[in-house]
Amino acid sequence: MPSNNIARASGWPLLASELSVLFRRRRTWAMLLALAAVPVLMAVAVRVSSAVPPGRGPAFLDRFTQNGLFVGVTALLVCVPLFLPLTVGVVAGDTIAGEAGLGTLRYLLVAPAGRVRLLLVKYAGAAAFCIVAPLVVALAGAGIGASLFPVGPVTLLSGDVISPQEAVLRLVLVAAYLTVSLLGLSAVGLFLSTLTDVPVGAMAATIVASVVSQVMGELPQLDWLHPWLFSYYWFGFADLLRQPIAWDSFAGNALLQGGYIAVFGALAYGRFVTKDVLS
Amino acid sequence: MTPAGRRVDLAIETRGLSKRFGHQLAVDGVNLAVPSGSVFGFLGPNGSGKTTTIRMMLGLAAATEGTVSVLGLAMPDRFHEVLPRVGALVEGPAFYPFLSGAANLRRLDAADPYAAASTRSARVEAALERVGLSHAAGKKVRAYSLGMKQRLGIANALLSPRELLVLDEPTNGLDPQGTREVRSLVRSLAADGATVFVSSHLLAEVEQICTHAAIMSAGRLVAQGTLAQLRDAGKARIRLVTHDAGLAEGVFASLGMSPAGGRSNGALVYGDGGQDGEVVEPEAVVAALVAAGVRVRGFAVEQGSLEDRFVALTGEGFDIAQ
């Protein structure tokens, strides 16, 4: 029973609960394991084959045998167009629609979670997944690379050479860049998730949005539109692999994703606070 | 003084509450008055608008027209003051199948900003104990039976001390044992001073546990009041078993009584109202029958039941009101 001597709590217990439900869920683990399998498969394939002809396959594939740390970067590059948006689409599309589908949405609201607070907590949960997913790929890549191939100083795109420790830092930085890249898509997913009680529909729609954005980004006829697409900077992390680091695309990316968060966050808010919860 | 400390006369009050879905008026001008401290039965056939009304009370759905106040405060505007004091089971239990029963309750308790984290585990344990689920606390809800989920849903409503409990079909899916337990639970909650609002289509259940009731039909509130008031509105009837049916009919007619429901199982059934609408005392009826030479083999006075009243107001048969 509320009274004056119990301060009105913040959303932290609910956020903690949300993160624990998300990351203890078997589905989340399956997706993270699948992501981790990408660098492992690539590294093992290169290890068992005799030699990779330079210039074929994903970038840096031929450099694995000289330096295992390249596995992390290459795996991230491979995961950007499909695997990362796919998993983020599942998590972000599930946010509200998943609760509605289970019927737990009404009990959260009656608890009362508060619609705005629930929306914020749900987005924070999706954002946490955006942090973890690229990091898993990067670290699994570095790990399998280090165990199958020699590790040494890394030559950057600018020609400078950095130590392996510094290279791991750069790898984490690239993962952070991808985290930011996926935040806009998460906001789109959150909004789509408020539109339906069928989580699979919201997930599919989010994933389709990421594909459409990338396809439009390939069409020269839509040049004027490209800087407005949330996938515009997705492959822009090469700037982080130079010496000194060029932060331009990181900043541009952050601004663009911030815009998507603002717009789709507002749409999700507008939709969710007035929604009749009938599931 | 917090709002929680103020006692209000009506735990729930709706005024002209309406909800329209497209062209269909699901709830139509409902004026509900639930006295504080009552055990209030909310009756109505399937599809009569009970659950939609409950959703509007709890701020899950917006009213098309009209107002709702719960514990004296307007809903949904003041939900953050009202809902922590309300425990609810709405349209069946719903849980995360991949979490255990206890983990589900901890999750929903964490959503309540007033629920202290320090007492969470103890309160979850106590709520599970109260509904007899302690042995299954660590089991995944996926493996729960319907009755166990229903119990867990009730446990969720009892996580904190509540002033009002809104229980939508609380005995759905429960075995007779569980139904009895829910009845005694409702009584003990009411004894603690809580108002209990129970929606149900099981009349016998409502007659056993409620002090007040309201009846919904096709989105409208057709009756409400204490149980005695509702029963009285349905008149008593007289049932006579005899071989001299023709003779008896003459006696009834001379007393000004009219048949109610005709013959059933070879017995004559008459309303107990005589001339001028006055109630004819049963002993006077028997005396008149015997004086006329009617061989009385069986004579009974049947009090109006809630069921008669319910059927009279909502119609018979399986037609779901649209």
Side-chain angles (χ1 to χ4, degrees):
Chain A
M1 199 180 298
S3 67
N4 285 344
N5 56 4
I6 300 175
R8 187 151 177 234
S10 56
W12 297 117
L14 183 57
L15 180 60
S17 162
E18 176 65 24
L19 292 178
S20 111
V21 168
L22 177 62
F23 286 105
R24 281 194 317 190
R25 200 169 177 175
R26 208 177 295 169
R27 186 178 71 194
T28 310
W29 277 96
M31 291 195 299
L32 292 175
L33 281 175
L35 284 172
V38 171
V40 172
L41 284 176
M42 289 196 316
V44 170
V46 170
R47 186 78 175 86
V48 298
S49 64
S50 43
V52 178
R56 289 192 53 192
F60 316 122
L61 197 63
D62 52 324
R63 298 219 216 159
F64 283 10
T65 47
Q66 298 144 40
N67 197 331
L69 292 178
F70 276 107
V71 179
V73 165
T74 309
L76 283 174
L77 196 62
V78 167
C79 287
V80 164
L82 185 60
F83 292 127
L84 282 172
L86 197 76
T87 54
V88 168
V90 168
V91 171
D94 195 44
T95 47
I96 300 295
E99 300 282 356
L102 286 175
T104 44
L105 183 58
R106 62 179 184 267
Y107 285 108
L108 287 173
L109 292 179
V110 166
R115 296 193 182 209
V116 178
R117 203 158 58 104
L118 185 60
L119 211 53
L120 289 173
V121 162
K122 280 291 176 183
Y123 186 73
F129 184 82
C130 293
I131 294 172
V132 171
L135 214 51
V136 163
V137 177
L139 297 182
I144 190 77
S147 55
L148 292 184
F149 306 107
V151 170
V154 175
T155 311
L156 291 174
L157 297 176
S158 56
D160 300 80
V161 177
I162 57 172
S163 69
Q165 289 83 355
E166 210 181 326
V168 171
L169 270 179
R170 291 290 178 106
L171 196 57
V172 171
L173 198 58
V174 171
Y177 180 94
L178 293 179
T179 295
V180 174
S181 296
L182 294 167
L183 290 179
L185 178 64
S186 298
V188 173
L190 182 74
F191 168 61
L192 292 172
S193 194
T194 62
L195 299 179
T196 172
D197 294 343
V198 186
V200 177
M203 294 175 194
T206 311
I207 294 159
V208 166
S210 92
V211 172
V212 167
S213 176
Q214 292 182 78
V215 169
M216 290 202 295
E218 295 292 316
L219 298 176
Q221 289 82 356
L222 296 175
D223 260 345
W224 54 272
L225 184 65
H226 291 173
W228 300 96
L229 297 170
F230 59 77
S231 57
Y232 182 64
Y233 288 99
W234 277 10
F235 289 96
F237 56 82
D239 287 356
L240 301 175
L241 304 176
R242 297 181 207 282
Q243 193 77 297
I245 295 175
W247 291 99
D248 298 1
S249 52
F250 200 110
N253 190 21
L255 193 65
L256 178 69
Q257 303 300 331
Y260 269 90
I261 293 169
V263 171
F264 282 90
L267 285 173
Y269 169 84
R271 166 69 184 156
F272 190 54
V273 292
T274 57
K275 181 178 178 164
D276 280 349
V277 176
L278 302 174
S279 59
Chain B
M1 192 73 179
T2 59
R6 200 165 52 225
R7 189 79 177 170
V8 289
D9 294 339
L10 292 178
I12 303 170
E13 184 181 19
T14 72
R15 287 195 179 165
L17 189 66
S18 300
K19 180 71 186 180
R20 185 182 290 281
F21 293 115
H23 291 297
Q24 194 199 330
L25 207 51
V27 175
D28 185 2
V30 167
N31 296 305
L32 200 60
V34 179
S36 285
S38 63
V39 178
F40 196 99
F42 195 38
L43 291 163
N46 297 327
S48 58
K50 298 192 301 287
T51 298
T52 306
T53 305
I54 290 175
R55 283 178 189 279
M56 288 190 282
M57 280 177 200
L58 298 173
L60 291 172
T64 310
E65 265 172 68
T67 59
V68 185
S69 76
V70 177
L71 300 172
L73 301 172
M75 281 294 285
D77 300 347
R78 304 184 65 179
F79 78 90
H80 56 278
E81 291 165 76
V82 173
L83 292 179
R85 298 151 65 194
V86 178
L89 177 70
V90 195
E91 210 175 16
F95 293 102
Y96 306 91
F98 47 88
L99 293 181
S100 71
N104 264 291
L105 293 190
R106 280 197 295 272
R107 158 103 171 141
L108 292 172
D109 194 59
D112 177 356
Y114 292 105
S118 52
T119 58
R120 185 159 296 144
S121 295
R123 284 183 293 110
V124 165
E125 226 168 272
L128 288 168
E129 175 82 50
R130 198 155 183 190
V131 298
L133 270 184
S134 298
H135 65 284
K139 213 167 157 185
K140 295 260 192 291
V141 167
R142 184 180 292 128
Y144 275 30
S145 68
L146 176 60
M148 289 164 81
K149 285 181 191 159
Q150 190 75 15
R151 284 164 190 255
L152 191 61
I154 295 170
N156 171 49
L158 301 176
L159 277 173
S160 296
R162 314 284 195 188
E163 291 165 57
L164 170 66
L165 284 138
V166 177
L167 304 174
D168 191 4
E169 309 279 359
T171 55
N172 206 10
L174 291 182
D175 48 23
Q177 185 67 30
T179 309
R180 281 173 66 94
E181 285 168 27
V182 166
R183 278 205 296 268
S184 81
L185 188 68
V186 166
R187 285 198 191 99
S188 79
L189 290 166
D192 293 347
T195 307
V196 187
F197 184 87
V198 189
S199 108
S200 183
H201 56 253
L202 301 176
L203 295 156
E205 185 176 295
V206 168
E207 285 202 274
Q208 284 186 58
I209 60 175
C210 294
T211 59
H212 295 68
I215 300 176
M216 292 279 288
S217 176
R220 290 171 166 278
L221 191 67
V222 289
Q224 73 175 327
T226 65
L227 227 50
Q229 283 168 350
L230 287 174
R231 281 206 199 95
D232 278 352
K235 294 274 168 53
R237 293 184 305 188
I238 282 165
R239 169 186 286 267
L240 174 72
V241 184
T242 179
H243 289 308
D244 306 320
L247 210 50
E249 278 165 2
V251 174
F252 282 124
S254 69
L255 289 169
M257 300 168 76
S258 48
R263 284 161 193 255
S264 75
N265 297 333
L268 295 171
V269 181
Y270 275 75
D272 68 349
Q275 272 128 6
D276 319 323
E278 293 283 307
V279 171
V280 184
E281 297 300 330
E283 52 270 31
V285 179
V286 179
L289 287 168
V290 174
V294 175
R295 289 167 292 169
V296 176
R297 303 196 98 199
F299 184 89
V301 181
E302 292 175 342
Q303 278 304 320
S305 70
L306 198 56
E307 183 166 350
D308 296 332
R309 181 77 170 132
F310 183 82
V311 170
L313 288 166
T314 62
E316 268 178 280
F318 285 107
D319 299 329
I320 290 173
Q322 288 298 315

